[in-house]
């Protein structure tokens, strides 16, 4: 099940309950302000970044491997899993 645009598992996010966040696939604007990955993905008409021909792009890599808030590429792997399972595809 697709939980985010960038591959983060929102169900395990420590801010989900605290900020009453429904996940970026279910909200118009993130509680933290803006998200360039959400904006890009939605602007291209994708449900998640894994559907993009540029996946994984430099911007996604920067977020995934950020020293402070990155997840060592877990979100990229989640997008790959979603693509392999057909999650977020029309067919």
């Amino acid at each position: 099940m697709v939980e985010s645009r960038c591959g983060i598992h929102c169900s395990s996010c420590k801010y989900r309950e605290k900020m009453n966040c429904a996940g970026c696939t279910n909200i118009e604007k993130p509680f933290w302000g803006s998200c360039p990955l959400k904006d890009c993905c939605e602007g291209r008409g994708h449900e998640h970044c894994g559907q993009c021909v540029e996946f994984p792009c430099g911007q996604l890599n920067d977020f995934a491997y950020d020293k402070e808030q990155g997840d060592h590429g877990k979100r990229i792997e989640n997008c790959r899993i979603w693509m392999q399972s057909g999650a977020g595809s029309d067919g």
Side-chain angles (χ1 to χ4, degrees):
M1 179 180 131
V2 174
E3 294 188 40
S4 67
R5 302 294 181 214
C6 70
I8 288 176
H9 278 294
C10 296
S11 57
S12 62
C13 177
K14 63 183 178 182
Y15 297 106
R16 188 174 181 111
E17 282 189 37
K18 182 178 179 181
M19 301 304 289
N20 196 30
C21 181
C24 71
T25 60
N26 299 307
I27 58 175
E28 191 170 321
K29 185 177 177 183
F31 67 85
W32 59 91
S34 67
C35 177
L37 292 171
K38 176 179 170 54
D39 294 344
C40 179
C41 194
E42 291 175 357
R44 293 174 183 236
H46 301 310
E47 189 171 357
H48 61 84
C49 290
Q51 296 173 324
C52 186
V53 296
E54 295 179 39
F55 174 80
C57 69
Q59 185 170 240
L60 180 59
N61 275 308
D62 288 347
F63 274 83
Y65 294 101
D66 180 78
K67 289 183 180 187
E68 292 181 23
Q69 297 184 18
D71 58 10
H72 305 289
K74 289 179 186 175
R75 70 187 76 199
I76 293 172
E77 185 56 30
N78 289 336
C79 284
R80 285 190 177 109
I81 291 168
W82 293 341
M83 281 304 293
Q84 291 170 356
S85 71
S89 66
D90 293 335

